[in-house]
Amino acid sequence: MVDIATRVWNHKWKIDPIVRSLIDTDFYKLLMCQSVFRNHPNTQVTFSLINRSTDVPLAKLIDEGELREQLDHVRSLSLTRGESTWLRGNTFYGKRQMFRPDFMEWFETLRLPDYHLERVGDQYELTFEGSWPEVMLWEIPALSVLMELRSRSELNRMKRFELQVLYARAMTQLWTKIERLQGVDGLNIADFGTRRRHSFLWQDWAVQAMVEGLGEKFVGTSNCLIAKNRDLEAIGTNAHELPMVYAALAQTDEALAQAPYQVLADWHEEHDGNLRIILPDTYGSQGFLHHAPDWLAGWTGIRIDSGDPATAAEAAIAWWQARGEDPRDKRMIFSDGLDVEKICALQAQFGNRVQCSFGWGTLLTNDFRGLTAGDRLAPFSMVCKAVKADGRPTVKLSDNPNKAMGPAEEIARYKRVFGVGAQVAQDVIV
């Protein structure tokens, strides 16, 4: 096991690049990339960094030259033979050859496209433009680079014993959480923390701690590289990116209203079983479920990723029951702003009514709250989203208006088309 504090103190960043591989990313990105490669290979998309926590002045904390060096390193990466063999030959979700030969041949020759970086005030403007299958793979490494460089900016201030004590406290804090989860009956939990991790080494340590502390209750990690290296299940399905881009490509209100379902129709052709998970909240869960075609009720489950999770879970249960489905046979994945208290409460409330799962993200892999003066290592909220598709703006409404994004006039149009009424704002924790 790596002595993280010593590695940080030695400052050997050349042997510790932030992103170590093209598969140092979330599994759902690769699944979605294959779907996009098949269905929309020529669509031109722009991704952009969005720092929701404007009180964190990234451009003051992170040196631009160091940021460019790390981004350029990401552009130099390509699949190794071992990584390609793992993707081609491994069994994912009970299916061998999850990734088709034509996709793998393309992926094996891929280098990520160029980026545009500019300092604007105390923030960075970072964008990626190009064909959708290529630029979408920038999202996770871009976030990982910025999050870890922000961490390093604080770690560089610290002396050797400060670093030892910091990581000892962080390990104790995480292990205390794991001990609390050990007593939760029926728990099914995975690591979803790549995009906002403190560092690669810390995420890897957190995953190893979960393996040892939780045993079979820990079902895997979304990080493909860690899954490969630690012989764990790679976990993930799909994300808001797909309906956001499909919707932006819609030419009429009628096509817009059908776009979220077209995403899942395309997904349905490629995947079955536990990969058939609905993510309903991109344009409001209530309207999505109300207008959903009957065949979607037969899918394996739903992921709850915004709004009040208990309210969303009750709505999903009622939707299944109204369509003759037994909720006890359905998987419900909670993945928004989770920490131990919320995990325990949701498992207690729904564990006997559905098959509960939890995708534990930032507060697993980046909870350094209260461990430094001024709380300068506390996690913050940053995303990298598709903002244009073939020149048309994308929109996300969410079940939490604080997570909405897009031009005001387009947000108003989407709310009208999808029948989104009053929403209850929730604090965006991470």
Side-chain angles (χ1 to χ4, degrees), residues 14 18 28 32 109 125 132 137 175 198 258 298 317-318 349:
K14 297 297 183 183
I18 291 173
Y28 80 85
M32 292 196 303
T109 62
E125 180 182 278
W132 191 6
L137 293 177
W175 191 254
H198 169 78
Q258 289 303 309
I317 289 171
Q349 185 172 354

Side-chain angles (χ1 to χ4, degrees), residues 332-366:
M332 186 170 291
I333 304 171
F334 297 96
S335 60
D336 181 33
L338 296 179
D339 207 5
V340 171
E341 293 300 326
K342 188 181 291 187
I343 292 168
C344 293
L346 290 169
Q347 178 68 26
Q349 185 172 354
F350 296 103
N352 293 324
R353 301 170 65 193
V354 296
Q355 298 174 22
C356 278
S357 291
F358 299 90
W360 196 7
T362 308
L363 296 180
L364 167 64
T365 61
N366 197 1

